[in-house]
Amino acid sequence: MKRKIITINEELCNGCGDCVSACSEGALKIVNGKAKLVKEDFCDGFGDCIGECPTGALTIVEKEARPFDEGATKDYLLITQGKEAVQRMEEAQRKHVIKTMPCGCPGSFAQALTKSKKAISIIQRKEESQLGNWPVQITLLPLKAPYYENADLLVAADCCAYAYGGFHNDFIKGHTLAIGCPKLDNSNAYKEKLATILRENNIKSITVTYMEVPCCMGLLRLVKEAVKLSGKDITVREIRIGIRGETK
């Protein structure tokens, strides 16, 4: 996939090691007197190391690279540097999530959802939400998260939940949810994002719900193309929903 990642101009690098100290993920090392990116999937692409470089040898570029693997990075830091290094990395990641949100808030921080006692009390008076992951918009979805493990993935056109009254219980329940609009959003970006998620995680099944309007068929098509790109053998179940709420 294409993503932002650090690159190093060795002619400018003086081997001072300031960037290595600034990298919370342990992606950089000094090798033969020069800074080297030793694990590209440990580089989150945020560039904390750039500000520490006195010679301007480091820059962020967008190119084909393996996705940032947060889990593997934490395991590496725990083994080589201990718990404090993992905590520093987690704090750095939280700050970056807040900083990079279009709205300036941490609204797309990946999290599994559990219900509070207060919510359970309210649920007794109304239908219970079945949402089990956040975020849900495809653009905001993380590439790796615990809720992908052995998951049944539901990819839904975002109008479906408004047209189909029992969408939570009949479709969201028991699924990891991803929503998007193939007409208004970037379909190619969706395809690449979903392909990477499928490639990097253990997804058991995929259900696609889409509206009966012609443009919504694009969601089904891009999901099937994403499965091919991922190299995985995953059956795609498709459900078409009418604008009056009936399934077809």
Side-chain angles (χ1 to χ4, degrees):
M1 63 174 291
K2 273 193 172 182
R3 71 176 185 95
K4 291 182 179 179
I5 193 168
I6 198 72
T7 186
I8 303 166
N9 185 332
E10 291 193 4
E11 293 183 0
L12 295 178
C13 178
N14 65 5
C16 69
D18 288 349
C19 59
V20 176
S21 301
C23 177
S24 302
E25 293 74 35
L28 300 175
K29 286 185 179 180
I30 300 299
V31 180
N32 296 326
K34 300 289 183 179
K36 298 280 189 182
L37 176 62
V38 292
K39 286 282 288 184
E40 68 175 23
D41 49 346
F42 285 6
C43 175
D44 59 16
F46 288 119
D48 287 346
C49 52
I50 291 179
E52 303 299 325
C53 180
T55 66
L58 280 69
T59 54
I60 293 291
V61 299
E62 187 168 348
K63 65 178 184 178
E64 290 288 336
R66 286 183 57 78
F68 172 56
D69 191 335
E70 184 173 350
T73 305
K74 287 181 179 179
D75 290 343
Y76 169 78
L77 291 174
L78 184 62
I79 293 171
T80 60
Q81 300 180 40
K83 290 182 180 180
E84 290 185 0
V86 176
Q87 291 170 352
R88 286 194 298 270
M89 174 192 159
E90 290 175 339
E91 179 60 26
Q93 291 297 311
R94 279 193 290 270
K95 289 179 179 178
H96 287 309
V97 167
I98 295 172
K99 190 185 299 184
T100 56
M101 287 304 97
C103 59
C105 69
S108 72
F109 186 78
Q111 54 190 302
L113 303 182
T114 57
K115 297 175 178 63
S116 66
K117 291 182 179 179
K118 182 178 179 181
I120 292 172
S121 176
I122 294 172
I123 285 164
Q124 291 173 354
R125 302 192 299 272
K126 64 180 183 180
E127 186 174 338
E128 180 179 1
S129 169
Q130 297 298 328
L131 187 62
N133 65 284
W134 187 266
V136 295
Q137 216 286 337
I138 295 173
T139 303
L140 300 177
L141 285 174
L143 295 177
K144 292 183 75 68
Y147 48 71
Y148 292 138
E149 184 63 24
N150 293 317
D152 296 305
L153 182 66
L154 172 64
V155 183
D158 46 17
C159 293
C160 291
Y162 298 97
Y164 189 95
F167 197 76
H168 271 254
N169 279 324
D170 290 355
F171 295 109
I172 297 178
K173 186 175 183 179
H175 289 79
T176 292
L177 178 63
I179 67 169
C181 176
K183 181 178 177 66
L184 301 179
D185 300 331
N186 188 330
S187 295
N188 285 329
Y190 276 2
K191 180 172 64 178
E192 291 184 10
K193 182 73 172 286
L194 289 171
T196 303
I197 289 172
L198 296 176
R199 188 182 305 117
E200 298 294 326
N201 299 275
N202 183 26
I203 303 293
K204 290 195 303 183
S205 70
I206 303 173
T207 298
V208 180
T209 59
Y210 61 98
M211 297 300 296
E212 65 177 341
V213 293
C215 58
C216 214
M217 281 289 296
L219 184 66
L220 177 63
R221 182 172 60 253
L222 73 86
V223 169
K224 289 183 176 180
E225 290 175 355
V227 173
K228 290 182 180 178
L229 281 175
S230 74
K232 297 288 188 71
D233 182 17
I234 307 174
T235 301
V236 177
R237 176 191 177 212
E238 54 187 88
I239 299 172
R240 186 174 61 163
I241 296 176
I243 58 175
R244 293 176 180 82
E246 72 279 15
T247 57
K248 302 180 178 181

